[in-house]
Amino acid sequence: MTRNSKKYLLDNLLFYLYTLGVFFLNIFFRIASRFHPKAALWVAGRKNWRKVLAEKVGAGQNWIWFHCASLGEFEQCRNLIEWIKTHRPTYKILITFFSPSGYEVRKNYALADFVTYLPIDTKKNAADFLRILNPRLVFFVKYELWLNFLGEMETRDIPAILISARVGENSRFLTSLFAPLYKKAFRSFRHIFTQDEATKELLRRFCGRETITASGDTRYDRVRANRESFSEIDFLSKFTQSKCCLICGSTWPVDEKALFAAWDRLKHIPELVMIIAPHEIHAERIQQWKEKYPTETLLFSESNQYSETHRILWVNNIGMLSRLYYYGDVAYVGGGWGSGLHNILEAATFGCAVVFGDKHHKFPEAGELIEAGGGFSVKNEKELHIVLEKLFTEDNLREKIYVSNKKFIDQRSGATTTIVEWCERNAYFSTLA
């Protein structure tokens, strides 16, 4: 048996195992849907997808398809979507999500012509999806590598571009049993735009190709746009007027426990208020905290009951967080003690000093913000209190951070422009005009 024959057999075996894994993933979600609300949404959102997609896609329409794993990846491609809708307004935008966390928040996104779930990655699903949609151009975000979809796009000569890609030395794409398949998947993209030079070099060695550009992280463009297009929230202007404000975003129970322990030791600071926007809204959990601080606590949904005694505001709705940070002097961003650090750039763009947990090694922006002097990593409740006390009692330090964190964002923006310019030079957008 020749070397090529062995490679062919190995690749086929790996693809069989990959397909088997996708099959069991589907079974897992169907079983879990009986007990878990998110799994139920995951399953229900994919029912009758062929019929729904065919009803949305009209004959002769030209579609650009964006696929995102979840909400964070959507934010990474949002500026690019807005550019296309502004400069190529006759073309349709499809956004697919893998996770309910993204779909449920952005299913009514105004600039998309259709938002839906990505069907399970089988060969038939991929073939049917692409036959119905027949997109002119496809963007995958960060590290979405669904092998059947990518293979079918390559077969149909549909150009696919990967944006905001980021992988490390120990990435499963480079080191797992399926690395040969992922190598082929990376090679199937017409171009890859990476968040950093390290990813560019890793993928260049891994794939053996040069069609890779270190454009930067498109999240910087998104948060800068949030700042530039900011619109006020009337009640928050009233709640925070002439006060020092701690914004606590995307918090989990472990974060909240530490934050309230710190709050009890910070209340001596005059005119200090705290706004909490939890990662997941659980009315029962919020009520428990409200009962511990009955006279100080107010829910955003009850803002008509506001009085001067209220110093703690719970934001019990979704979709406001990126604007909340405008009202903060200091921000605490959750997830850094366990689940994965959430978006610290949304806070930094408004000049907030940003505090977060110490498990942030997978988030290079956290280390860079610490080095720039505007980010603070804490290991526990005690350290959290010490850092917050320092930030709220040293006005000059906050003022310095306010300027430097805005500059931090501005200096790293521009990835979307790089992507657009490359697409225009290579006639991907001009052919759509």
Side-chain angles (χ1 to χ4, degrees):
M1 183 179 291
T2 66
R3 184 174 181 179
N4 286 340
S5 298
K6 290 180 179 178
K7 183 178 184 305
Y8 176 80
L9 288 175
L10 176 61
D11 286 353
N12 275 285
L13 175 61
L14 291 176
F15 215 101
Y16 172 79
L17 293 174
Y18 170 83
T19 302
L20 193 64
V22 170
F23 172 79
F24 281 115
L25 179 69
N26 189 31
I27 294 297
F28 168 80
F29 274 106
R30 289 185 179 278
I31 294 172
S33 67
R34 301 177 184 179
F35 316 101
H36 197 286
K38 278 193 175 181
L41 290 170
W42 193 94
V43 172
R46 289 170 167 82
K47 287 183 178 178
N48 301 318
W49 67 262
R50 290 178 179 82
K51 178 182 177 182
V52 174
L53 184 63
E55 289 172 350
K56 290 288 184 178
V57 176
Q61 294 177 340
N62 292 311
W63 287 83
I64 301 176
W65 170 28
F66 288 83
H67 175 61
C68 315
S70 191
L71 189 59
E73 288 76 16
F74 166 79
E75 292 297 326
Q76 288 181 296
C77 67
R78 186 169 172 176
N79 273 34
L80 183 54
I81 293 171
E82 292 180 359
W83 185 94
I84 292 170
K85 293 303 284 187
T86 299
H87 296 88
R88 300 290 186 270
T90 60
Y91 289 85
K92 302 286 187 178
I93 297 291
L94 168 70
I95 302 172
T96 57
F97 287 99
F98 178 79
S99 165
S101 300
Y103 174 79
E104 290 300 324
V105 175
R106 293 302 178 193
K107 60 186 176 183
N108 296 317
Y109 176 53
L111 295 187
D113 296 280
F114 184 37
V115 181
T116 188
Y117 285 95
L118 183 75
I120 294 296
D121 184 35
T122 66
K123 190 171 182 61
K124 178 171 174 49
N125 282 355
D128 289 349
F129 185 92
L130 291 166
R131 173 181 53 80
I132 296 168
L133 182 65
N134 191 27
R136 297 290 297 274
L137 185 61
V138 179
F139 291 94
F140 276 25
V141 184
K142 200 170 183 180
Y143 38 58
E144 284 292 279
L145 298 183
W146 296 108
L147 301 181
N148 283 300
F149 275 96
L150 290 171
E152 191 66 25
M153 280 187 277
E154 190 171 30
T155 299
R156 293 170 180 262
D157 197 30
I158 297 170
I161 298 171
L162 182 63
I163 65 173
S164 281
R166 181 174 174 268
V167 296
E169 293 278 1
N170 298 318
S171 167
R172 62 186 172 89
F173 298 126
L174 280 62
T175 60
S176 76
L177 175 69
F178 298 102
L181 299 184
Y182 290 130
K183 179 183 292 188
K184 185 178 179 182
F186 279 118
R187 288 180 62 86
S188 71
F189 288 104
R190 296 292 174 89
H191 204 84
I192 298 173
F193 294 91
T194 68
Q195 294 185 25
D196 50 42
E197 286 287 344
T199 296
K200 174 186 173 180
E201 290 306 309
L202 273 174
L203 291 182
R204 186 183 60 80
R205 294 196 302 269
F206 181 61
C207 301
R209 63 185 299 177
E210 299 298 329
T211 54
I212 305 173
T213 300
S215 59
D217 189 345
T218 50
R219 285 183 303 165
Y220 288 96
D221 301 329
R222 181 67 242 153
V223 298
R224 185 177 183 179
N226 287 343
R227 185 212 307 163
E228 293 174 349
S229 62
F230 174 76
S231 58
E232 290 207 34
I233 303 168
D234 289 340
F235 174 68
L236 291 184
S237 299
K238 179 181 179 180
F239 184 77
T240 60
Q241 187 175 21
S242 302
K243 298 181 176 72
C244 279
C245 181
L246 170 63
I247 303 285
C248 309
S250 298
T251 58
W252 295 83
V254 65
D255 301 307
E256 290 152 17
K257 180 176 179 292
L259 283 163
F260 277 101
W263 173 258
D264 288 337
R265 302 172 69 180
L266 292 170
K267 287 193 293 185
H268 66 89
I269 299 173
E271 301 298 319
L272 178 65
V273 296
M274 179 166 64
I275 299 175
I276 307 171
H279 179 66
E280 294 180 344
I281 297 170
H282 294 290
E284 182 178 330
R285 191 169 93 225
I286 294 174
Q287 182 60 32
Q288 289 174 349
W289 284 114
K290 186 177 181 181
E291 289 173 0
K292 291 184 178 181
Y293 301 85
T295 61
E296 295 177 86
T297 302
L298 180 68
L299 306 186
F300 187 86
S301 60
E302 300 170 349
S303 56
N304 61 336
Q305 300 177 25
Y306 170 70
S307 74
E308 290 296 328
T309 63
H310 291 129
R311 299 181 65 188
I312 301 168
L313 177 67
W314 284 89
V315 178
N316 55 342
N317 59 39
I318 293 174
M320 287 173 50
L321 180 57
S322 63
R323 289 196 290 163
L324 290 181
Y325 291 118
Y326 169 84
Y327 298 95
D329 297 280
V330 178
Y332 175 88
V333 178
W337 281 333
S339 61
L341 181 62
H342 294 285
N343 193 338
I344 64 172
L345 303 180
E346 289 181 332
T349 194
F350 287 112
C352 292
V354 190
V355 186
F356 41 84
D358 60 326
K359 295 180 176 64
H360 55 75
H361 63 282
K362 293 183 179 179
F363 303 88
E365 67 275 13
E368 291 175 14
L369 194 63
I370 293 170
E371 187 175 349
F376 302 84
S377 173
V378 294
K379 295 179 181 179
N380 50 45
E381 293 178 8
K382 181 180 179 180
E383 288 191 6
L384 176 61
H385 166 249
I386 292 170
V387 168
L388 291 179
E389 182 90 34
K390 178 180 179 66
L391 289 170
F392 279 115
T393 55
E394 296 186 18
D395 296 346
N396 289 339
L397 175 60
R398 289 202 316 276
E399 290 170 6
K400 181 180 177 181
I401 291 171
Y402 178 82
V403 174
S404 68
N405 276 5
K406 285 187 172 184
K407 185 178 179 181
F408 177 88
I409 298 296
D410 293 343
Q411 289 177 334
R412 289 162 174 77
S413 299
T416 302
T417 299
T418 300
I419 295 166
V420 166
E421 289 177 349
W422 183 91
C423 288
E424 288 189 310
R425 283 198 308 272
N426 290 275
Y428 284 109
F429 288 145
S430 61
T431 56
L432 298 178

